[in-house]
């Protein structure tokens, strides 16, 4: 019987003696060995009472076993729910309470703290450690190496991914077999993945980028993955010669560029570098090409939609843009208040529709109605603009829009100019409470190595380039911008840090 996602990603691995996962210590796990592990794990899930439609939540380190649990959950018809390993017990308690999984897997060091949390949510707790040990794999020992997957159709759910929730509570995005498979198929085709590829995989697998974009594409096309537990620039430099492609967040690339060992010779053989999850600075794009001769391919997506747009594989990869809508994805720019489609060239809300768009937020029908239109368009919350050639540029998140004295300021417009100023490596522009203007534009700068940006000269330079209301009312140089694991700048933390700046004394 058919199980849409399992059949496409995992069924072909049975009996294969080709390497699927190459580990840091050089160990190789063949497709056949992985498939046998998936089957044993599927038997454990079944024995634990997991049936079609049940959630299996995990907060575990990245490992071959962790990937096998994803596959096994799909095999038994369950819904895979990976959680960021940085979440605290309180945060996990919210997710388990919301998703009510049948089973929750965590690392052994957290098991005591998590036991009451799992119990309160009615979930059975089992352990999987980063080294592959624990009560879950113990229970798999000796179980059969084959498993008949439970039938699942394209509309059935395969995963819940919770949004990062920087405003309000995190929401569980329900993703169907069709959502995941259609996107993997499109990306594999557009990015020319084949069974000969070796993907350097240094992304976490609790997020759409590492789990669905990276792993699903490699699994679908029968290639191999160099499966690193995390991003370590030394390891990436050591292993790049063995890879053909790498997918990363922008910080992966800036850290490589900071390292003198990252040379053209090291990567001449590489086929593809992609970037996403956060904006790639145009400067990084240019420096990367100068250093390596490769142009990074930037794409855009999110938890709720998988990938929406991509720069072309053949054709111009345009810095500062996220490329064009992927085949099958419709994208329009609308007025954020009226929802009316705007003319080409105007900035507005990015809305997308296609087989990639999720099925709604788990048990949050009102939130779903607010963001997912009846005609299937999802209101992404990202503000973008489409140029005359169809390339989409992200201007910023709507929630980061600054309203100062009644005027709208998109931070990106100011950041792009700040980034060009002497001594400035990068910037983040935020709105801070202001007694007269409601919000004041404020710029946070990071200096280039060894430089000291002259903030008053920068203010003067901006005066010639931006309308008065867009010019920052203050600038501050900091050592680093706060970023989450996916490399996104956490503007909410900056707003908190500087919120008293313009308060009346
Ligand atoms: P997440 O749901 O955690 O994957 O976050 C999705 C958000 O990341 C999107 O809504 C965008 O705001 C941002 N994002 C993803 N890719 C890009 C990109 N290439 N450039 C700019 N922002 C991006």
């Amino acid at each position: 019987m058919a199980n849409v996602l399992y059949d496409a990603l995992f069924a072909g691995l049975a009996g294969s003696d080709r390497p699927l996962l190459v580990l840091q210590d050089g160990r190789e796990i063949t497709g056949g060995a992985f498939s046998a592990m998936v089957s044993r794990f599927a038997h454990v899930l079944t024995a634990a009472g997991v049936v079609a439609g049940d959630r299996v939540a995990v907060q575990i380190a990245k490992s071959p076993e962790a990937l096998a649990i994803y596959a096994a959950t799909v095999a038994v018809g369950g819904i895979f729910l990976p959680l960021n390993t940085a979440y605290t017990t309180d945060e996990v308690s919210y997710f388990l309470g919301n998703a009510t999984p049948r089973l929750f897997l965590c690392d052994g060091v957290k098991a005591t703290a998590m036991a009451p949390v799992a119990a309160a949510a009615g979930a059975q707790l089992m352990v999987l450690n980063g080294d592959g040990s624990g009560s879950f794999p113990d229970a798999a020992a000796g179980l059969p190496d084959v498993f008949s997957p439970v039938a699942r159709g394209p509309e059935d759910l395969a995963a819940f991914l919770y949004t990062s929730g920087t405003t309000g509570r995190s929401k569980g995005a329900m993703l169907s077999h069709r959502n995941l498979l259609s996107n993997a198929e499109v990306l594999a085709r557009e990015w020319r993945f084949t069974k000969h590829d070796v993907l350097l995989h240094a992304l976490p697998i609790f997020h759409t980028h590492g789990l669905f974009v990276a792993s699903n594409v490699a699994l679908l096309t029968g290639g191999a993955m160099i499966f690193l537990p995390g991003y370590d620039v030394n390891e990436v430099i050591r292993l790049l010669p063995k890879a053909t492609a790498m997918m990363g967040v922008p910080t992966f690339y800036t850290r490589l560029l900071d390292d003198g060992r990252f040379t053209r010779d090291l990567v001449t053989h590489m086929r593809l570098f992609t970037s996403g999850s956060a904006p790639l600075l145009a400067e990084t794009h240019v420096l990367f090409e100068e250093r390596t001769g490769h142009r990074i391919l930037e794409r855009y997506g999110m938890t709720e939609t998988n990938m929406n747009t991509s720069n072309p594989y053949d054709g111009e990869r345009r810095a500062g843009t996220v490329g064009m809508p992927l085949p099958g994805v419709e994208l329009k720019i609308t007025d954020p208040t009226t929802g009316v489609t705007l003319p080409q060239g105007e900035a507005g809300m990015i809305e997308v529709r296609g087989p990639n768009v999720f099925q709604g937020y788990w048990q949050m029908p009102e939130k779903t109605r607010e963001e997912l239109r009846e005609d299937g368009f999802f209101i992404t919350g990202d503000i973008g603009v489409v140029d005359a050639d169809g390339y989409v540029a992200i201007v910023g998140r709507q929630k980061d829009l600054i309203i100062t004295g009644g005027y709208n300021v998109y931070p990106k417009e100011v950041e792009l100019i700040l980034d060009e100023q002497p001594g400035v490596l990068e910037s983040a522009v935020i709105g801070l409470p202001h007694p007269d203007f409601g919000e004041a534009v404020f710029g946070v700068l990071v200096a280039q190595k060894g430089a000291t940006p002259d903030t008053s000269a920068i203010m003067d330079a901006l005066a010639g380039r931006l309308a008065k209301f867009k010019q920052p009312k203050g600038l501050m140089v900091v050592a680093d911008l706060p970023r989450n694991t996916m490399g996104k700048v956490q503007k909410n933390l900056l707003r908190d840090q500087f919120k008293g700046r313009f308060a009346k004394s």
Side-chain angles (χ1 to χ4, degrees):
M1 261 204 254
N3 175 314
V4 170
L5 196 62
Y6 187 88
D7 293 349
L9 302 187
F10 306 111
L13 296 172
S16 161
D17 54 10
R18 286 168 55 90
L20 172 69
L21 302 175
V22 180
L23 308 184
Q24 213 170 2
D25 59 11
R27 235 173 353 123
E28 292 185 352
I29 299 182
T30 63
F34 183 80
S35 171
M37 173 159 63
V38 171
S39 295
R40 291 193 297 273
F41 284 4
H43 286 291
V44 181
L45 293 178
T46 306
V50 177
V51 295
D54 278 350
R55 277 75 61 202
V56 173
V58 304
Q59 190 192 33
I60 48 181
K62 182 180 172 186
S63 67
E65 289 76 10
L67 191 68
I69 289 185
Y70 159 49
T73 303
V74 174
V76 302
I79 299 172
F80 186 61
L81 195 180
L83 293 169
N84 192 324
T85 44
Y87 286 146
T88 62
T89 314
D90 278 358
E91 286 165 325
V92 171
S93 162
Y94 165 75
F95 294 115
L96 299 193
N98 187 255
T100 57
R102 174 81 55 191
L103 183 69
F104 173 53
L105 292 181
C106 73
D107 197 282
V109 294
K110 290 191 177 167
T112 309
M114 289 298 181
V117 172
Q124 184 182 340
L125 180 76
M126 291 181 94
V127 165
L128 175 64
N129 297 310
D131 63 2
S133 65
S135 58
F136 187 89
D138 286 351
L143 293 181
D145 283 352
V146 286
F147 182 84
S148 298
V150 172
R152 290 276 90 182
E155 311 306 330
D156 287 319
L157 298 179
F160 283 2
L161 284 192
Y162 277 78
T163 58
S164 41
T166 43
T167 49
R169 272 301 196 185
S170 198
K171 297 163 285 200
M174 300 188 284
L175 296 157
S176 68
H177 282 240
R178 186 204 303 280
N179 290 149
L180 301 181
L181 182 56
S182 66
N183 213 236
E185 285 173 341
V186 163
L187 295 176
R189 241 189 346 259
E190 289 296 299
W191 297 345
R192 313 280 193 272
F193 270 83
T194 71
K195 64 176 187 213
H196 303 298
D197 274 304
V198 179
L199 177 69
L200 202 152
H201 192 310
L203 291 159
I205 56 167
F206 52 70
H207 185 268
T208 186
H209 195 167
L211 185 63
F212 300 141
V213 182
S215 308
N216 282 1
V217 165
L219 286 160
L220 180 72
T221 47
M225 293 181 258
I226 300 176
F227 210 60
L228 300 181
Y231 182 84
D232 171 339
V233 77
N234 294 319
E235 284 301 277
V236 169
I237 286 173
R238 181 173 74 84
L239 293 163
L240 269 171
K242 296 185 163 56
T244 64
M246 172 167 148
M247 297 185 189
V249 296
T251 38
F252 282 18
Y253 297 116
T254 51
R255 284 190 219 159
L256 280 172
L257 286 170
D258 279 345
D259 198 303
R261 294 170 298 169
F262 183 63
T263 60
R264 185 177 283 252
D265 283 350
L266 191 78
V267 293
T268 317
H269 68 287
M270 287 286 284
R271 188 177 72 71
L272 181 66
F273 292 93
T274 69
S275 177
S277 292
L280 184 76
L281 291 178
E283 189 202 4
T284 311
H285 199 275
V286 171
L287 287 177
F288 198 88
E289 186 176 12
E290 280 171 10
R291 178 87 68 90
T292 65
H294 289 283
R295 288 175 80 87
I296 298 173
L297 183 155
E298 187 170 6
R299 94 297 177 282
Y300 156 67
M302 57 205 313
T303 300
E304 290 92 332
T305 63
N306 300 285
M307 299 305 105
N308 296 312
T309 71
S310 172
N311 270 281
Y313 188 84
D314 299 316
E316 190 193 348
R317 300 179 190 171
R318 205 170 277 188
T321 81
V322 292
M324 282 148 298
L326 287 161
V329 177
E330 292 170 79
L331 182 147
K332 60 182 183 179
I333 305 288
T334 60
D335 181 317
T337 34
T338 63
V340 172
T341 303
L342 293 173
Q344 181 271 317
E346 280 189 34
M349 179 63 73
I350 300 179
E351 297 193 24
V352 292
R353 177 165 73 178
N356 54 318
V357 173
F358 75 137
Q359 307 302 304
Y361 295 114
W362 170 248
Q363 289 185 335
M364 293 188 185
E366 276 171 31
K367 288 276 173 213
T368 303
R369 267 194 301 277
E370 278 169 25
E371 298 184 25
L372 195 54
R373 295 188 191 280
E374 265 174 26
D375 63 6
F377 271 97
F378 175 61
I379 305 168
T380 62
D382 289 314
I383 304 294
V385 61
V386 182
D387 74 15
D389 299 326
Y391 285 78
V392 179
I394 314 275
V395 183
R397 295 286 293 165
Q398 189 188 29
K399 65 176 195 292
D400 292 329
L401 177 77
I402 303 166
I403 305 182
T404 179
Y407 292 107
N408 288 358
V409 178
Y410 290 115
K412 183 80 177 201
E413 186 184 355
V414 186
E415 288 162 2
L416 285 174
I417 299 178
L418 285 172
D419 293 349
E420 288 172 12
Q421 301 306 310
V424 176
L425 177 68
E426 59 174 345
S427 60
V429 167
I430 51 175
L432 296 179
H434 189 286
D436 295 331
F437 297 103
E439 279 187 300
V441 178
F442 187 72
V444 184
L445 309 177
V446 177
Q448 278 167 351
K449 229 182 234 159
T452 314
D454 178 344
T455 49
S456 60
I458 292 176
M459 290 289 230
D460 291 345
L462 293 190
R465 303 203 38 198
L466 287 170
K468 181 96 181 127
F469 70 93
K470 295 182 190 170
Q471 293 167 23
K473 302 220 161 16
L475 291 175
M476 172 71 90
V477 181
V478 298
D480 286 305
L481 296 177
R483 287 196 148 86
N484 69 9
T485 24
M486 297 313 294
K488 289 186 216 298
V489 175
Q490 293 173 296
K491 288 196 169 174
N492 53 328
L493 298 185
L494 290 174
R495 284 191 285 261
D496 275 356
Q497 185 180 347
F498 295 110
K499 65 177 178 240
R501 184 90 189 170
F502 299 106
K504 268 201 177 111
S505 50

